[in-house]
Amino acid sequence: MRAKIIGTGSCLPPKIVTNDDLAKTVETSDEWIRARTGIQERRVSDEATATSDLAIVAAEKALAKAKMPAGELDLIIVGTTSPDTLFPSVACIVQDKLQAHKAAAFDVSAACSGFNFALTVAASFIETGTYKNILVIGADTLTKYLDWTDRGTCILFGDGAGAVVLTRSNDDSGILASWLKAEGSLGRYLVMPGGGSRDPEEKHGRFIKMDGKEVFKFAVRVLEESVGEVLKLAQLELKDIDLLIPHQANSRIVDHVTKKIGLPKEKVYVNLQKYGNTSAASIPIALDEALADGKIKKGDLIVLSGFGAGLTAGANVIKWGV
Ligand code: UT7
């Protein structure tokens, strides 16, 4: 039994912050940010907006496209590392707001790989017959955890949410294979030190701390590895892929890897110029936009590949079925 995506949705906060806006407060330039990351602008949520607010809108759109009432959901999984509160989980808040009374709900913490991890868990529940209808969301508001004086991080991130509705496939379409990885020994390169049980009073700050060069090296290594490994699991080859949707972190990471493995540019979906790195939301937002742009048709083979804090990485191969 396979799991199949039957609806997608996304939500971005309306406020746009351009590179020029950032250059007014920190020593950087539009030219530097574009050349080193490909990012032109990002969305930033206001004070009143938390991760669940974006997640709910994305979820409602995905459910509407799937023509599935929330009451039919068996499970809600949210990939996030910026929950509204440590508990309840974002998934429980979404369950309540959607009135998905039947659904169990929990969050998955794998940072920017969160959507791949959540999708993989959801697919397994469907494949084993435990659940039939699952809502998977990737949502983050990492701009709330940025040190706006640190030009090494504040230029990279944006806020957003993306959602997909999964159900049992009745044909050969659906999630063909999934691959997940963690390298906890490299965790120190991308850290949110404060706010957890190690530092509940946030003495070490509640800001993202990153060694950009080390994360970059990891990202290029695992993006290539994840595509290779997940295709092997699906018994497919690179030439079979119609579209790669990589985590939208940095166009240099994407360009470097796709050139190295020999995947033509037109088979790679990139929208990071508009939104920056939206963490767990980046892949489901890109998937929703790729569909709206007509870049995916029935029968296409798509690879979703993410990497992020942990350090973690994950990939899924999907035969598109709707
Ligand atoms: O989901 C995973 C999330 N994380 C990532 O994807 C991060 C991966 N890493 C990166 O994307 C890149 O490492 C960055 C974009 C963060 C940095 O780019 P880089 O090419 O690795 O730059 P760098 O850190 O080697 O810095 C080069 C120079 C330095 O100046 P000096 O020492 O050569 O004089 C930096 O101080 O650029 C300087 N610099 C900047 N200049 C203008 C660093 N950040 C900026 C900036 N504007 N924003």
Side-chain angles (χ1 to χ4, degrees), residues 258-272:
T258 50
K259 207 170 152 195
K260 185 164 175 223
I261 62 178
L263 194 65
K265 258 188 165 11
E266 59 277 12
K267 288 192 170 188
V268 185
Y269 194 78
V270 173
N271 66 359
L272 62 88

Side-chain angles (χ1 to χ4, degrees), residues 144-159:
K144 291 175 189 280
Y145 302 96
L146 291 175
D147 173 356
W148 291 99
T149 66
D150 174 13
R151 64 181 184 173
T153 52
C154 76
I155 58 154
L156 293 175
F157 296 95
D159 300 335

Side-chain angles (χ1 to χ4, degrees), residues 65-310:
K65 272 199 208 131
K67 299 190 177 63
M68 185 182 289
E72 287 183 19
L73 289 171
D74 301 305
L75 179 66
I76 299 169
I77 310 178
V78 180
T80 188
T81 34
S82 46
D84 301 28
T85 48
L86 280 181
F87 51 85
S89 64
V90 175
C92 283
I93 298 168
V94 171
Q95 187 245 16
D96 176 43
K97 294 271 167 60
L98 293 178
Q99 299 190 19
H101 302 301
K102 206 173 77 172
F106 61 88
D107 290 357
V108 163
S109 170
C112 299
S113 318
F115 183 74
N116 301 91
F117 276 69
L119 190 66
T120 303
V121 173
S124 307
F125 274 125
I126 290 175
E127 286 157 13
T128 56
T130 309
Y131 293 124
K132 184 170 175 229
N133 301 323
I134 305 181
L135 173 66
V136 176
I137 304 171
D140 270 308
T141 50
L142 290 189
T143 67
K144 291 175 189 280
Y145 302 96
L146 291 175
D147 173 356
W148 291 99
T149 66
D150 174 13
R151 64 181 184 173
T153 52
C154 76
I155 58 154
L156 293 175
F157 296 95
D159 300 335
V164 301
V165 176
L166 291 171
T167 195
R168 277 179 203 153
S169 177
N170 49 13
D171 53 31
D172 68 343
S173 68
I175 299 174
L176 306 185
S178 299
W179 175 89
L180 301 177
K181 166 170 201 136
E183 292 192 23
S185 62
L186 305 182
R188 64 186 181 280
Y189 294 135
L190 185 45
V191 180
M192 168 86 72
S197 58
R198 182 74 59 197
D199 179 19
E201 287 164 17
E202 300 178 345
K203 288 187 205 110
H204 299 285
R206 55 166 200 104
F207 301 121
I208 296 171
K209 294 202 162 59
M210 182 177 73
D211 183 329
K213 275 203 184 316
E214 290 296 337
V215 177
F216 194 99
K217 276 197 268 177
F218 171 80
V220 293
R221 173 164 62 82
V222 294
L223 181 53
E224 179 177 356
E225 184 185 359
S226 69
V227 173
E229 291 299 321
V230 84
L231 286 177
K232 219 188 285 172
L233 288 171
Q235 296 180 307
L236 293 167
E237 290 176 36
L238 193 72
K239 64 172 174 43
D240 301 320
I241 297 185
D242 295 294
L243 194 68
L244 170 67
I245 302 183
H247 171 44
Q248 306 288 311
N250 182 325
S251 57
R252 274 166 57 222
I253 295 171
V254 177
D255 292 347
H256 179 88
V257 174
T258 50
K259 207 170 152 195
K260 185 164 175 223
I261 62 178
L263 194 65
K265 258 188 165 11
E266 59 277 12
K267 288 192 170 188
V268 185
Y269 194 78
V270 173
N271 66 359
L272 62 88
Q273 65 280 4
K274 294 187 286 182
Y275 309 130
N277 178 346
T278 56
S279 188
S282 98
I283 289 176
I285 292 171
L287 175 64
D288 191 43
E289 288 206 348
L291 282 161
D293 290 353
K295 298 260 193 268
I296 298 171
K297 54 184 191 314
K298 199 173 172 171
D300 278 357
L301 286 165
I302 303 157
V303 174
L304 313 178
S305 173
F307 49 84

